Amino acid sequence: MNFIFKKITIRRWPLCCLLFFWSACHEENHYNTRVASVVDSIKDEQVISVALDSIYTNEKKVAQGDLIMRTGRDFTSETMRQLSITDKTYSHCGIASIEHDSIFVYHSIGGEWNPDQKLRRDAFKIFCNPFENRGFGIYRYRMSSEENENLINIVKKFYKQEIMFDMQFDLASDERMYCSEFVYKAVIKAFGNKISLPTTTLNKIKFIAPDNLYLNPNCTEIKRVIFNKK
C-alpha cells in the first residue's frame, strides 16, 4: 500500500502551489475575504461547540474494549476512507480502555501526527476532537468478559512493545502495524482465533480497510456522530 502515500506526496505539492498563487492573485479582495472569514469563524465556533458537547455526552456510552472510529479532515484521511468498499465514513480507528475513570484510545498512527511512529494512547476527547475530525463512531464486539479482558491485555502489550506504524501496509508482519491492522490483530487474538474478520483486496494486495472492522456479524454499532453534515 506504499503507492497510496507516494500518491499523497506527489499530489500535495501542486495543491500547495495552487493555494499560494490563488492567495497572491486575490489580495485586492482582502476586505471581502475578511468579512467572509468573520462569518465563517462564527459558524465554525458554533459547530465546534456542538461537536464538543456531543463528544462529552457520547463518551458515557463507551465501554471497555469498544472499537472507536473517527473521520479525519486531512487529505491522507480522505485517501484512507476510499480504501473501504462498503462504508467510506471513517479513516482511522482504535480500541477504548477505561483506566482510573478515564477513557483512553490505543491506536496506531504515522506521519506528521505522530513523529516517533509508536503506538499511541490518547484520551477519548483528544482522539475524537472536532478540530481535526469530522465525526466519530462507537462500536462493540460481541465477546465474553474473558475475551474482553484478553483484548485489553493484548492492546496494552502492543503498546508496551512500542509497535511502530507500518508505512508498507504489510499485513504479514507483526513488527509494525497500521491502524486497522492493529485493531484487527488484537481482536483476532482476543477471540483466540475463533472468529474471522473480513479483509479487502486491492491490486492483489490484501489489507484491512476501516469498514472491515465493524461491518461484520461480530460487531454492533453503538453510536455514529457527524459533527457537521454539510
Side-chain angles (χ1 to χ4, degrees), residues 169-186:
F169 281 61
D170 181 9
L171 191 58
S173 172
D174 291 342
E175 296 179 357
R176 290 175 175 265
M177 300 182 192
Y178 53 93
C179 58
S180 50
E181 177 189 6
F182 158 68
V183 172
Y184 174 88
K185 290 184 174 178

Side-chain angles (χ1 to χ4, degrees), residues 123-136:
F124 177 80
K125 298 180 182 68
I126 299 299
F127 184 84
C128 300
N129 83 84
F131 300 98
E132 299 175 350
N133 298 286
R134 301 181 187 279
F136 65 92

Side-chain angles (χ1 to χ4, degrees), residues 108 121 166 226 230:
S108 178
R121 171 182 175 271
D166 185 6
I226 300 175
K230 293 183 179 181

Side-chain angles (χ1 to χ4, degrees), residues 165-228:
F165 185 80
D166 185 6
M167 293 295 293
Q168 301 300 319
F169 281 61
D170 181 9
L171 191 58
S173 172
D174 291 342
E175 296 179 357
R176 290 175 175 265
M177 300 182 192
Y178 53 93
C179 58
S180 50
E181 177 189 6
F182 158 68
V183 172
Y184 174 88
K185 290 184 174 178
V187 171
I188 293 296
K189 288 178 180 292
F191 276 101
N193 296 312
K194 292 183 295 184
I195 67 165
S196 62
L197 298 181
T199 59
T200 298
T201 301
L202 180 64
N203 293 336
K204 298 182 179 181
I205 299 176
K206 185 171 72 172
F207 61 96
I208 311 301
D211 64 348
N212 289 145
L213 299 174
Y214 57 90
L215 293 184
N216 62 78
N218 300 291
C219 196
T220 301
E221 180 176 296
I222 304 302
K223 186 67 177 181
R224 181 183 295 228
V225 177
I226 300 175
F227 296 144
N228 187 358

Side-chain angles (χ1 to χ4, degrees), residues 148-163:
N148 191 287
E149 184 178 354
N150 287 341
L151 175 60
I152 298 302
N153 288 336
I154 291 167
V155 165
K156 291 183 177 180
K157 179 180 179 181
F158 284 155
Y159 180 71
K160 290 181 180 180
Q161 291 176 341
E162 298 185 335
I163 297 294

Side-chain angles (χ1 to χ4, degrees), residues 34-44:
R34 183 178 179 181
V35 173
S37 296
V38 171
V39 175
D40 291 339
S41 177
I42 294 175
K43 290 181 178 179
D44 288 343

